[in-house]
Each structure stands twice: as C-alpha cells, then as structure tokens.
Amino acid sequence: SLDGGEPKRLTQADTTARWLPPGRLLYMRQNALIARPFDVKKGDFSGEPVTLAAPVGYDGTFNIGGFSVSAAGQVAYRAGGVQRRLLTWFDRAGKPTPGTMAPDDADINYPELAPDDPRVAVVRTVQTNQDVWFTDLLRGSQERFTFDPAGDTQPVWSPDGMRIVFRSTRKGGGDLLVDLCDATRK
C-alpha cells in the first residue's frame, strides 16, 4: 500500500509482477507467464489465473521475468525455460573428477568449496527465494542450510570448515551473518 499499510503477499511467483492494463497482474510461476485479474480497490485478485505462454525465460538471480508489458497492454516475452547450470570439478590435469553435480534448474550461484571436506556451498533460487545449500560431492546429495524468506547469498567457509559467513537481506540491507555448520552434515 502506498499509504504505508502492512505488505500483503498475493501469491507465490518466481518473478516480480507487472501491471497489464486494464486490470491484470502478470507474473511467472514454474516457467509459465501467468495473467490474473486484479482488483486495485480491494487489493486482491478477482479471478482465476490464465497461462499466457510457457516456457518463458527469466533471470532467477534478480527475479526478473523475460517479459515486458507496454502501457497500451501489449505483452512481449522471451521464450525459453530456466537456465540449467552445471558445476563440474576438475583435477590438476584438467580432467573431470567424480562428484560432478547433475544439472540444476534452481539457478545456482556462488559456489564455495569447503576447506577439507567433500562439500560445496551454493546459492539456489527456488520460488524467488535465494538460500544457501550444501552439496555433498561424493554422494551428490543436496541439503538446504538457510530457510529465511529473505535472500541469503555469497557463502564463504571459515578456514576450519565449521562456520559459514553469508550475505543476507533479513534486516533490509546486505548484512553479513555467521552460522555454525552442524558437524553431522559432513
């Protein structure tokens, strides 16, 4: 609300929403471009969602959909799905090593190898939320480390591998937080 009222979550979406005249909101969910009637006076949806296009590309790091809306109500979009990323580890001879991760649809960023451990901390974006995850390179398993709805990014291991420092927007800015890594996760 522009008058300073409490924020209200309308729906889960993978991107920010855009206004589509004369009365709909456009947003993306699971690679689909969705239009939904919106009542501005009530501040809520007034009808069911309709899929306009799928798959539509987006940049999950910044929650920006690959679409645009003109003031006249025209819609343009970039076809394509989520950008799959693959982290591959190489030995000193330049050959891929065991423990290569499978391709990931969750827009992985900021890989940080643990000091003396077969884990890597990465940031995965799932339903617009960025969190730190651990990947065990020997088993290929993933485990979510942060669970806050704010963005948690840029993890860095402590030299002993017992703590993670990461950037968080939990308090509105780009604060650095330190969290103890559970030894059972090794």
Side-chain angles (χ1 to χ4, degrees), residues 57-107:
Y58 79 99
D59 180 344
T61 302
F62 299 103
N63 303 332
I64 299 171
F67 68 95
S68 182
V69 180
S70 74
Q74 296 169 317
V75 177
Y77 67 90
R78 175 175 43 96
V82 173
Q83 182 179 9
R84 298 187 94 197
R85 295 191 180 172
L86 173 67
L87 294 179
T88 305
W89 314 112
F90 296 90
D91 63 18
R92 292 178 191 261
K95 295 182 181 179
T97 64
T100 296
M101 294 172 55
D104 195 327
D105 289 333
D107 193 29

Tab-separated table of all heavy atoms in Angstrom, residues 57-107:
chain	number	residue	atom	x	y	z
A	57	GLY	N	11.528	-17.497	-20.476
A	57	GLY	CA	12.806	-17.355	-19.789
A	57	GLY	C	12.745	-16.324	-18.680
A	57	GLY	O	11.893	-15.438	-18.675
A	58	TYR	N	13.668	-16.458	-17.731
A	58	TYR	CA	13.796	-15.460	-16.670
A	58	TYR	C	15.168	-15.541	-16.044
A	58	TYR	O	15.884	-16.513	-16.211
A	58	TYR	CB	12.699	-15.626	-15.620
A	58	TYR	CG	12.928	-16.729	-14.611
A	58	TYR	CD1	13.425	-16.446	-13.355
A	58	TYR	CD2	12.622	-18.042	-14.902
A	58	TYR	CE1	13.628	-17.443	-12.424
A	58	TYR	CE2	12.816	-19.049	-13.977
A	58	TYR	CZ	13.317	-18.738	-12.738
A	58	TYR	OH	13.517	-19.728	-11.814
A	59	ASP	N	15.526	-14.493	-15.305
A	59	ASP	CA	16.772	-14.447	-14.559
A	59	ASP	C	16.418	-14.614	-13.090
A	59	ASP	O	15.954	-13.677	-12.446
A	59	ASP	CB	17.482	-13.116	-14.799
A	59	ASP	CG	18.792	-12.998	-14.053
A	59	ASP	OD1	19.027	-13.788	-13.116
A	59	ASP	OD2	19.578	-12.114	-14.399
A	60	GLY	N	16.598	-15.816	-12.566
A	60	GLY	CA	16.230	-16.107	-11.187
A	60	GLY	C	17.053	-15.370	-10.160
A	60	GLY	O	16.613	-15.168	-9.047
A	61	THR	N	18.269	-14.961	-10.504
A	61	THR	CA	19.106	-14.239	-9.552
A	61	THR	C	18.454	-12.931	-9.132
A	61	THR	O	18.502	-12.541	-7.979
A	61	THR	CB	20.493	-13.953	-10.164
A	61	THR	OG1	21.079	-15.195	-10.537
A	61	THR	CG2	21.391	-13.237	-9.176
A	62	PHE	N	17.830	-12.254	-10.073
A	62	PHE	CA	17.217	-10.958	-9.782
A	62	PHE	C	15.702	-11.004	-9.853
A	62	PHE	O	15.051	-9.967	-9.792
A	62	PHE	CB	17.762	-9.901	-10.755
A	62	PHE	CG	19.245	-9.729	-10.647
A	62	PHE	CD1	20.084	-10.280	-11.599
A	62	PHE	CD2	19.799	-9.060	-9.575
A	62	PHE	CE1	21.462	-10.144	-11.492
A	62	PHE	CE2	21.164	-8.924	-9.454
A	62	PHE	CZ	22.003	-9.461	-10.418
A	63	ASN	N	15.119	-12.198	-9.998
A	63	ASN	CA	13.659	-12.375	-10.073
A	63	ASN	C	13.047	-11.557	-11.194
A	63	ASN	O	11.978	-10.983	-11.041
A	63	ASN	CB	13.003	-12.033	-8.737
A	63	ASN	CG	13.546	-12.854	-7.610
A	63	ASN	OD1	13.993	-13.973	-7.824
A	63	ASN	ND2	13.542	-12.320	-6.418
A	64	ILE	N	13.742	-11.483	-12.311
A	64	ILE	CA	13.260	-10.713	-13.450
A	64	ILE	C	12.769	-11.669	-14.521
A	64	ILE	O	13.516	-12.512	-15.004
A	64	ILE	CB	14.381	-9.819	-14.022
A	64	ILE	CG1	14.849	-8.832	-12.953
A	64	ILE	CG2	13.903	-9.087	-15.270
A	64	ILE	CD1	16.084	-8.057	-13.349
A	65	GLY	N	11.511	-11.536	-14.873
A	65	GLY	CA	10.938	-12.375	-15.914
A	65	GLY	C	11.356	-11.893	-17.289
A	65	GLY	O	11.620	-10.716	-17.496
A	66	GLY	N	11.390	-12.823	-18.224
A	66	GLY	CA	11.736	-12.491	-19.602
A	66	GLY	C	10.523	-11.983	-20.351
A	66	GLY	O	10.192	-12.468	-21.426
A	67	PHE	N	9.832	-11.006	-19.754
A	67	PHE	CA	8.644	-10.438	-20.400
A	67	PHE	C	8.541	-8.955	-20.078
A	67	PHE	O	9.135	-8.466	-19.125
A	67	PHE	CB	7.367	-11.174	-19.953
A	67	PHE	CG	6.993	-10.976	-18.512
A	67	PHE	CD1	6.079	-10.001	-18.141
A	67	PHE	CD2	7.552	-11.763	-17.518
A	67	PHE	CE1	5.726	-9.821	-16.819
A	67	PHE	CE2	7.211	-11.594	-16.187
A	67	PHE	CZ	6.293	-10.618	-15.839
A	68	SER	N	7.779	-8.266	-20.899
A	68	SER	CA	7.570	-6.832	-20.725
A	68	SER	C	6.135	-6.498	-21.105
A	68	SER	O	5.528	-7.183	-21.935
A	68	SER	CB	8.540	-6.053	-21.623
A	68	SER	OG	8.384	-4.670	-21.442
A	69	VAL	N	5.600	-5.436	-20.499
A	69	VAL	CA	4.229	-5.012	-20.765
A	69	VAL	C	4.242	-3.522	-21.091
A	69	VAL	O	4.829	-2.726	-20.360
A	69	VAL	CB	3.321	-5.258	-19.539
A	69	VAL	CG1	1.897	-4.822	-19.831
A	69	VAL	CG2	3.366	-6.712	-19.115
A	70	SER	N	3.590	-3.149	-22.196
A	70	SER	CA	3.509	-1.725	-22.554
A	70	SER	C	2.309	-1.084	-21.865
A	70	SER	O	1.397	-1.776	-21.392
A	70	SER	CB	3.375	-1.560	-24.071
A	70	SER	OG	2.066	-1.910	-24.485
A	71	ALA	N	2.292	0.246	-21.822
A	71	ALA	CA	1.170	0.976	-21.233
A	71	ALA	C	-0.126	0.711	-21.993
A	71	ALA	O	-1.217	0.796	-21.426
A	71	ALA	CB	1.467	2.477	-21.218
A	72	ALA	N	-0.006	0.353	-23.280
A	72	ALA	CA	-1.186	0.051	-24.094
A	72	ALA	C	-1.673	-1.387	-23.896
A	72	ALA	O	-2.677	-1.792	-24.467
A	72	ALA	CB	-0.875	0.290	-25.569
A	73	GLY	N	-0.951	-2.182	-23.094
A	73	GLY	CA	-1.397	-3.541	-22.813
A	73	GLY	C	-0.803	-4.606	-23.717
A	73	GLY	O	-1.250	-5.745	-23.701
A	74	GLN	N	0.220	-4.255	-24.498
A	74	GLN	CA	0.873	-5.265	-25.324
A	74	GLN	C	1.907	-6.002	-24.477
A	74	GLN	O	2.569	-5.413	-23.617
A	74	GLN	CB	1.543	-4.607	-26.526
A	74	GLN	CG	0.534	-3.953	-27.451
A	74	GLN	CD	1.213	-3.086	-28.492
A	74	GLN	OE1	2.136	-2.350	-28.181
A	74	GLN	NE2	0.731	-3.185	-29.711
A	75	VAL	N	2.065	-7.298	-24.744
A	75	VAL	CA	2.979	-8.135	-23.984
A	75	VAL	C	4.019	-8.726	-24.925
A	75	VAL	O	3.676	-9.227	-26.002
A	75	VAL	CB	2.227	-9.288	-23.274
A	75	VAL	CG1	3.191	-10.207	-22.540
A	75	VAL	CG2	1.184	-8.733	-22.313
A	76	ALA	N	5.279	-8.652	-24.527
A	76	ALA	CA	6.363	-9.307	-25.256
A	76	ALA	C	7.058	-10.231	-24.266
A	76	ALA	O	7.169	-9.911	-23.076
A	76	ALA	CB	7.351	-8.284	-25.806
A	77	TYR	N	7.517	-11.403	-24.739
A	77	TYR	CA	8.214	-12.313	-23.851
A	77	TYR	C	9.302	-13.060	-24.600
A	77	TYR	O	9.271	-13.177	-25.819
A	77	TYR	CB	7.249	-13.292	-23.171
A	77	TYR	CG	6.609	-14.281	-24.108
A	77	TYR	CD1	7.205	-15.522	-24.371
A	77	TYR	CD2	5.408	-13.984	-24.732
A	77	TYR	CE1	6.612	-16.430	-25.231
A	77	TYR	CE2	4.818	-14.888	-25.597
A	77	TYR	CZ	5.422	-16.111	-25.842
A	77	TYR	OH	4.850	-17.003	-26.695
A	78	ARG	N	10.259	-13.543	-23.841
A	78	ARG	CA	11.367	-14.331	-24.381
A	78	ARG	C	11.079	-15.795	-24.100
A	78	ARG	O	10.962	-16.224	-22.950
A	78	ARG	CB	12.681	-13.915	-23.712
A	78	ARG	CG	13.884	-14.757	-24.107
A	78	ARG	CD	15.176	-14.219	-23.496
A	78	ARG	NE	15.084	-13.805	-22.116
A	78	ARG	CZ	15.425	-14.572	-21.083
A	78	ARG	NH1	15.883	-15.785	-21.269
A	78	ARG	NH2	15.321	-14.109	-19.855
A	79	ALA	N	10.938	-16.571	-25.152
A	79	ALA	CA	10.671	-17.998	-24.979
A	79	ALA	C	11.905	-18.677	-24.407
A	79	ALA	O	13.028	-18.278	-24.657
A	79	ALA	CB	10.295	-18.631	-26.321
A	80	GLY	N	11.684	-19.687	-23.619
A	80	GLY	CA	12.789	-20.453	-23.047
A	80	GLY	C	12.512	-20.799	-21.615
A	80	GLY	O	11.663	-20.190	-20.967
A	81	GLY	N	13.204	-21.781	-21.120
A	81	GLY	CA	12.998	-22.234	-19.761
A	81	GLY	C	14.037	-21.686	-18.821
A	81	GLY	O	14.790	-20.776	-19.145
A	82	VAL	N	14.078	-22.289	-17.656
A	82	VAL	CA	15.048	-21.918	-16.639
A	82	VAL	C	16.439	-22.248	-17.149
A	82	VAL	O	16.645	-23.229	-17.834
A	82	VAL	CB	14.763	-22.719	-15.348
A	82	VAL	CG1	15.843	-22.490	-14.317
A	82	VAL	CG2	13.409	-22.363	-14.794
A	83	GLN	N	17.377	-21.417	-16.803
A	83	GLN	CA	18.756	-21.661	-17.200
A	83	GLN	C	19.331	-22.761	-16.318
A	83	GLN	O	19.468	-22.615	-15.112
A	83	GLN	CB	19.575	-20.384	-17.038
A	83	GLN	CG	21.004	-20.549	-17.464
A	83	GLN	CD	21.769	-19.251	-17.307
A	83	GLN	OE1	21.289	-18.293	-16.733
A	83	GLN	NE2	22.968	-19.229	-17.806
A	84	ARG	N	19.631	-23.889	-16.923
A	84	ARG	CA	20.231	-25.004	-16.185
A	84	ARG	C	21.723	-24.735	-16.041
A	84	ARG	O	22.382	-24.346	-16.990
A	84	ARG	CB	20.004	-26.314	-16.914
A	84	ARG	CG	18.535	-26.651	-17.039
A	84	ARG	CD	18.355	-28.009	-17.605
A	84	ARG	NE	18.218	-28.871	-16.432
A	84	ARG	CZ	18.358	-30.168	-16.456
A	84	ARG	NH1	18.642	-30.772	-17.570
A	84	ARG	NH2	18.214	-30.873	-15.368
A	85	ARG	N	22.228	-24.953	-14.855
A	85	ARG	CA	23.650	-24.750	-14.613
A	85	ARG	C	24.247	-26.043	-14.091
A	85	ARG	O	23.601	-26.806	-13.379
A	85	ARG	CB	23.869	-23.623	-13.613
A	85	ARG	CG	23.406	-22.297	-14.190
A	85	ARG	CD	23.825	-21.149	-13.373
A	85	ARG	NE	23.342	-19.934	-14.007
A	85	ARG	CZ	23.418	-18.757	-13.460
A	85	ARG	NH1	23.972	-18.607	-12.293
A	85	ARG	NH2	22.960	-17.706	-14.084
A	86	LEU	N	25.476	-26.241	-14.448
A	86	LEU	CA	26.180	-27.456	-14.081
A	86	LEU	C	27.544	-27.075	-13.523
A	86	LEU	O	28.302	-26.350	-14.168
A	86	LEU	CB	26.356	-28.339	-15.323
A	86	LEU	CG	27.206	-29.580	-15.186
A	86	LEU	CD1	26.524	-30.582	-14.260
A	86	LEU	CD2	27.436	-30.200	-16.548
A	87	LEU	N	27.826	-27.545	-12.311
A	87	LEU	CA	29.150	-27.346	-11.727
A	87	LEU	C	29.946	-28.627	-11.955
A	87	LEU	O	29.489	-29.711	-11.625
A	87	LEU	CB	29.057	-27.066	-10.228
A	87	LEU	CG	28.381	-25.760	-9.826
A	87	LEU	CD1	28.345	-25.644	-8.308
A	87	LEU	CD2	29.093	-24.570	-10.422
A	88	THR	N	31.117	-28.478	-12.513
A	88	THR	CA	31.983	-29.625	-12.778
A	88	THR	C	33.330	-29.377	-12.122
A	88	THR	O	33.877	-28.279	-12.225
A	88	THR	CB	32.177	-29.824	-14.297
A	88	THR	OG1	30.895	-29.934	-14.911
A	88	THR	CG2	32.989	-31.068	-14.591
A	89	TRP	N	33.857	-30.374	-11.456
A	89	TRP	CA	35.129	-30.257	-10.761
A	89	TRP	C	36.201	-30.928	-11.607
A	89	TRP	O	35.980	-31.996	-12.177
A	89	TRP	CB	35.050	-30.894	-9.377
A	89	TRP	CG	33.810	-30.473	-8.670
A	89	TRP	CD1	32.748	-31.258	-8.349
A	89	TRP	CD2	33.452	-29.152	-8.265
A	89	TRP	NE1	31.760	-30.503	-7.753
A	89	TRP	CE2	32.165	-29.209	-7.693
A	89	TRP	CE3	34.093	-27.915	-8.329
A	89	TRP	CZ2	31.517	-28.096	-7.174
A	89	TRP	CZ3	33.437	-26.800	-7.819
A	89	TRP	CH2	32.181	-26.895	-7.250
A	90	PHE	N	37.364	-30.327	-11.655
A	90	PHE	CA	38.476	-30.836	-12.455
A	90	PHE	C	39.677	-31.093	-11.559
A	90	PHE	O	39.926	-30.361	-10.606
A	90	PHE	CB	38.856	-29.814	-13.540
A	90	PHE	CG	37.762	-29.590	-14.543
A	90	PHE	CD1	36.802	-28.607	-14.348
A	90	PHE	CD2	37.687	-30.369	-15.683
A	90	PHE	CE1	35.796	-28.410	-15.271
A	90	PHE	CE2	36.674	-30.176	-16.610
A	90	PHE	CZ	35.727	-29.192	-16.410
A	91	ASP	N	40.457	-32.134	-11.919
A	91	ASP	CA	41.697	-32.385	-11.191
A	91	ASP	C	42.800	-31.487	-11.759
A	91	ASP	O	42.569	-30.702	-12.680
A	91	ASP	CB	42.074	-33.874	-11.232
A	91	ASP	CG	42.363	-34.378	-12.640
A	91	ASP	OD1	42.612	-33.558	-13.560
A	91	ASP	OD2	42.347	-35.610	-12.827
A	92	ARG	N	43.995	-31.605	-11.229
A	92	ARG	CA	45.106	-30.746	-11.660
A	92	ARG	C	45.508	-30.969	-13.112
A	92	ARG	O	46.123	-30.119	-13.728
A	92	ARG	CB	46.301	-30.937	-10.741
A	92	ARG	CG	46.025	-30.405	-9.350
A	92	ARG	CD	47.220	-30.643	-8.439
A	92	ARG	NE	46.860	-30.369	-7.063
A	92	ARG	CZ	47.131	-29.243	-6.442
A	92	ARG	NH1	47.781	-28.286	-7.052
A	92	ARG	NH2	46.764	-29.075	-5.193
A	93	ALA	N	45.142	-32.117	-13.672
A	93	ALA	CA	45.441	-32.405	-15.081
A	93	ALA	C	44.344	-31.891	-16.007
A	93	ALA	O	44.440	-32.031	-17.225
A	93	ALA	CB	45.624	-33.910	-15.284
A	94	GLY	N	43.289	-31.316	-15.434
A	94	GLY	CA	42.206	-30.770	-16.256
A	94	GLY	C	41.125	-31.768	-16.612
A	94	GLY	O	40.287	-31.496	-17.467
A	95	LYS	N	41.102	-32.916	-15.945
A	95	LYS	CA	40.098	-33.938	-16.213
A	95	LYS	C	38.967	-33.840	-15.191
A	95	LYS	O	39.225	-33.618	-14.005
A	95	LYS	CB	40.721	-35.328	-16.159
A	95	LYS	CG	41.736	-35.552	-17.252
A	95	LYS	CD	42.306	-36.952	-17.193
A	95	LYS	CE	43.345	-37.110	-18.290
A	95	LYS	NZ	43.963	-38.413	-18.283
A	96	PRO	N	37.700	-34.026	-15.642
A	96	PRO	CA	36.590	-34.018	-14.684
A	96	PRO	C	36.772	-35.098	-13.623
A	96	PRO	O	37.250	-36.187	-13.912
A	96	PRO	CB	35.362	-34.312	-15.545
A	96	PRO	CG	35.782	-33.987	-16.936
A	96	PRO	CD	37.256	-34.237	-17.011
A	97	THR	N	36.403	-34.761	-12.391
A	97	THR	CA	36.557	-35.692	-11.275
A	97	THR	C	35.217	-36.306	-10.912
A	97	THR	O	34.162	-35.756	-11.257
A	97	THR	CB	37.121	-34.974	-10.043
A	97	THR	OG1	36.162	-33.998	-9.615
A	97	THR	CG2	38.446	-34.313	-10.339
A	98	PRO	N	35.225	-37.432	-10.176
A	98	PRO	CA	33.967	-37.962	-9.645
A	98	PRO	C	33.333	-36.916	-8.735
A	98	PRO	O	34.029	-36.086	-8.153
A	98	PRO	CB	34.393	-39.186	-8.848
A	98	PRO	CG	35.756	-39.530	-9.356
A	98	PRO	CD	36.364	-38.257	-9.837
A	99	GLY	N	32.047	-36.954	-8.603
A	99	GLY	CA	31.356	-35.993	-7.749
A	99	GLY	C	30.823	-34.811	-8.528
A	99	GLY	O	30.336	-33.865	-7.950
A	100	THR	N	30.889	-34.869	-9.851
A	100	THR	CA	30.313	-33.798	-10.646
A	100	THR	C	28.812	-33.755	-10.387
A	100	THR	O	28.149	-34.777	-10.375
A	100	THR	CB	30.597	-34.033	-12.147
A	100	THR	OG1	32.004	-33.972	-12.336
A	100	THR	CG2	29.932	-32.990	-13.006
A	101	MET	N	28.297	-32.563	-10.147
A	101	MET	CA	26.880	-32.401	-9.854
A	101	MET	C	26.039	-32.580	-11.113
A	101	MET	O	26.494	-32.314	-12.209
A	101	MET	CB	26.625	-31.003	-9.287
A	101	MET	CG	27.248	-30.752	-7.940
A	101	MET	SD	27.111	-29.026	-7.420
A	101	MET	CE	25.362	-28.734	-7.526
A	102	ALA	N	24.803	-32.984	-10.903
A	102	ALA	CA	23.849	-33.059	-12.004
A	102	ALA	C	23.425	-31.635	-12.372
A	102	ALA	O	23.498	-30.727	-11.537
A	102	ALA	CB	22.633	-33.870	-11.581
A	103	PRO	N	22.977	-31.391	-13.617
A	103	PRO	CA	22.481	-30.061	-13.965
A	103	PRO	C	21.375	-29.639	-13.009
A	103	PRO	O	20.571	-30.458	-12.578
A	103	PRO	CB	21.946	-30.255	-15.386
A	103	PRO	CG	22.694	-31.424	-15.915
A	103	PRO	CD	22.921	-32.320	-14.726
A	104	ASP	N	21.362	-28.365	-12.654
A	104	ASP	CA	20.429	-27.849	-11.655
A	104	ASP	C	19.571	-26.752	-12.275
A	104	ASP	O	20.099	-25.812	-12.866
A	104	ASP	CB	21.226	-27.311	-10.461
A	104	ASP	CG	20.378	-27.082	-9.234
A	104	ASP	OD1	19.192	-26.714	-9.372
A	104	ASP	OD2	20.892	-27.257	-8.129
A	105	ASP	N	18.261	-26.851	-12.113
A	105	ASP	CA	17.331	-25.848	-12.628
A	105	ASP	C	17.122	-24.687	-11.671
A	105	ASP	O	16.393	-23.761	-11.985
A	105	ASP	CB	15.963	-26.486	-12.898
A	105	ASP	CG	15.978	-27.416	-14.092
A	105	ASP	OD1	16.814	-27.219	-14.988
A	105	ASP	OD2	15.149	-28.339	-14.123
A	106	ALA	N	17.720	-24.716	-10.493
A	106	ALA	CA	17.450	-23.724	-9.454
A	106	ALA	C	18.403	-22.540	-9.505
A	106	ALA	O	18.648	-21.909	-8.496
A	106	ALA	CB	17.488	-24.376	-8.077
A	107	ASP	N	18.930	-22.212	-10.670
A	107	ASP	CA	19.758	-21.023	-10.848
A	107	ASP	C	20.868	-20.946	-9.802
A	107	ASP	O	20.928	-20.017	-9.003
A	107	ASP	CB	18.889	-19.768	-10.817
A	107	ASP	CG	19.645	-18.543	-11.303
A	107	ASP	OD1	20.557	-18.694	-12.138
A	107	ASP	OD2	19.335	-17.435	-10.843
